[in-house]
Amino acid sequence: MKTYKIALIKGDGIGPEIIDEAVKVLDAVASCCDIEFSYEEALMGGCAYDITGDPLPQETINISLNSDAVLFGAIGGQKWDNLPREKRPESGLLRFRKELGVYANLRPATVFDELINASSLKPEVIKGVDLMVVRELIGGIYFGEPRGRDENRGWNTMVYTRDEIVRIAHQAFKIAMTRSKRVCSIDKANVLDVSQLWRDVVTEVGREYPEVELTHMYVDNAAMQLIRDPRQFDVMLTGNIFGDILSDEASMLSGSIGLLPSASIGAKIGVYEPIHGSAPDIAGQGIANPIATILSASMMLRYALGENIAADKIESAVKRALKEGYRTKDLAQYDAKEVCSTSEMGSIIANYAAK
């Protein structure tokens, strides 16, 4: 039996609730796949600041680096919005990604047939959508220097090196090779010098993958095309800020941000998390949708641990639960047979995954 060590970072808001359900499903699928999980909890976010005075304690970095993967909930909330920037939960998350070297953020956007009416777009536009946003995560304008502000001016620097572009491009092309072999690279090369370098380097890397069709698209057009014809995309390769915006836009194709997982991978340890935030307004009410976190656990099995059979079981269990009409409150109006609490939905999926 294989044993994997998983770092659990529950975080703030609904984070603890959704992580608990993902663990429930992982344990269920482990029971029938001859694997075992050993969990160690660590603090990050507002809860970490409240206890230690630091949104990212060194202990959390150490625990994460000594694990096979990190399963992460969500951080942040209004309670900590007025702290100095370096003490805010979001600053801890950015530093965490840098410390772990997770430079590639994978965000799939899939439309479930059972929830095709949940999207604000017409069914004929979104039916069959299955795309992957590959976002560079630890470079670009969020990390560039110089940065700062005074009373009358604020400034940030958007910068990418050739090496940073090469490594994220390889990730996108390798993922495309497992899918429909199409990469659309997103930039603003008609205006930004950094984007022209991005386009040139991506084109160079693309020559190493002759089976993959490479196209380029300006980010403003990409935002429009995601709504007009999302099925045209297979893998979308983006820089940090463009990917941040476009992946959130893509999430709404499915009808709920509570459905979509993500993986952040790189040279060290991968981090697997839902794309939504901490939703402090519903924390503790037992109504949060745990599916995005459960599917993040499935991505962890697939990308970090190579346990594809277990990953398939979880994904099939989620589809079955939706097909049979189980819904959390955010999806209650869409053909719900039964409206479930967070815990009930987790238990239903765990039961299906164990079979």
Side-chain angles (χ1 to χ4, degrees):
M1 177 180 290
K2 295 180 181 177
T3 299
Y4 298 106
K5 186 176 180 181
I6 309 300
L8 298 180
I9 301 178
K10 296 182 177 182
D12 306 317
I14 62 172
E17 301 168 60
I18 54 179
I19 288 291
D20 286 347
E21 298 315 305
V23 168
K24 184 189 296 182
V25 174
L26 282 171
D27 288 341
V29 79
S31 67
C32 60
C33 289
D34 198 32
I35 55 179
E36 187 176 34
F37 298 105
S38 169
Y39 305 104
E40 186 169 7
E41 293 190 27
L43 293 172
M44 184 167 68
C47 61
Y49 174 80
D50 288 346
I51 294 171
T52 71
D54 186 343
L56 178 61
Q58 182 61 43
E59 182 184 18
T60 297
I61 297 170
N62 296 341
I63 290 172
S64 299
L65 290 174
N66 288 319
S67 300
D68 294 305
V70 178
L71 188 61
F72 169 51
I75 50 96
Q78 290 183 346
K79 176 181 177 181
W80 304 283
D81 282 350
N82 293 323
L83 291 173
R85 182 166 298 279
E86 69 276 8
K87 296 293 186 181
R88 294 179 192 175
E90 295 78 11
S91 295
L93 178 58
L94 291 177
R95 186 154 49 94
F96 183 65
R97 291 169 176 169
K98 197 80 170 179
E99 290 280 354
L100 267 61
V102 288
Y103 63 83
N105 184 227
L106 315 182
R107 288 192 173 189
T110 303
V111 174
F112 295 99
D113 287 344
E114 295 78 14
L115 295 173
I116 200 163
N117 292 318
S119 174
S120 57
L121 300 183
K122 296 177 181 178
E124 58 266 30
V125 174
I126 61 168
K127 184 175 177 60
V129 165
D130 179 12
L131 63 89
M132 176 77 80
V133 178
V134 178
R135 168 192 170 194
E136 200 289 323
L137 198 58
I138 57 174
I141 199 166
Y142 293 165
F143 291 91
E145 298 287 350
R147 61 190 298 166
R149 57 160 291 177
D150 56 30
E151 287 187 8
N152 301 308
R153 200 164 60 103
W155 58 94
N156 292 85
T157 303
M158 187 173 184
V159 57
Y160 271 113
T161 66
R162 172 176 290 272
D163 288 347
E164 287 174 327
I165 301 167
V166 165
R167 68 184 182 183
I168 191 66
H170 276 297
Q171 287 285 355
F173 283 107
K174 288 175 182 177
I175 289 170
M177 288 292 292
T178 69
R179 295 171 53 92
S180 298
K181 297 182 179 179
R182 292 181 289 119
V183 171
C184 181
S185 179
I186 310 301
D187 59 44
K188 194 62 177 169
N190 58 332
V191 175
L192 300 174
D193 291 332
V194 65
S195 277
Q196 187 61 59
L197 176 66
W198 178 281
R199 180 173 292 212
D200 293 344
V201 173
V202 170
T203 300
E204 291 174 17
V205 175
R207 296 192 186 107
E208 300 180 36
Y209 300 85
E211 296 178 61
V212 178
E213 176 191 353
L214 172 63
T215 57
H216 302 274
M217 189 176 290
Y218 296 143
V219 62
D220 43 355
N221 186 30
M224 180 184 70
Q225 294 295 333
L226 260 178
I227 301 302
R228 190 187 74 82
D229 180 20
R231 282 195 300 260
Q232 70 184 278
F233 297 109
D234 178 28
V235 174
M236 300 180 75
L237 169 60
T238 79
N240 206 340
I241 189 170
F242 296 159
D244 192 0
I245 296 165
L246 290 176
S247 59
D248 277 3
E249 181 187 5
S251 75
M252 294 315 297
L253 299 173
S254 70
S256 173
I257 202 169
L259 293 170
L260 299 182
S262 77
S264 300
I265 61 177
K268 300 177 184 176
I269 304 299
V271 182
Y272 300 83
E273 61 182 293
I275 76 166
H276 58 69
S278 62
D281 55 318
I282 62 169
Q285 298 180 36
I287 60 174
N289 189 340
I291 288 179
T293 314
I294 291 169
L295 289 175
S296 296
S298 175
M299 291 186 77
M300 179 185 74
L301 289 168
R302 193 177 305 282
Y303 289 100
L305 310 180
E307 297 288 351
N308 291 327
I309 293 175
D312 290 342
K313 281 182 172 291
I314 291 178
E315 291 170 12
S316 296
V318 169
K319 290 177 182 177
R320 181 177 174 185
L322 293 174
K323 185 176 182 179
E324 295 189 3
Y326 296 107
R327 306 283 188 267
T328 43
K329 186 177 179 181
D330 57 317
L331 297 171
Q333 67 194 83
Y334 303 110
D335 304 318
K337 181 185 81 173
E338 182 178 333
V339 179
C340 306
S341 69
T342 305
S343 179
E344 288 168 343
M345 180 62 87
S347 295
I348 290 165
I349 295 170
N351 181 52
Y352 291 156
K355 295 179 178 178

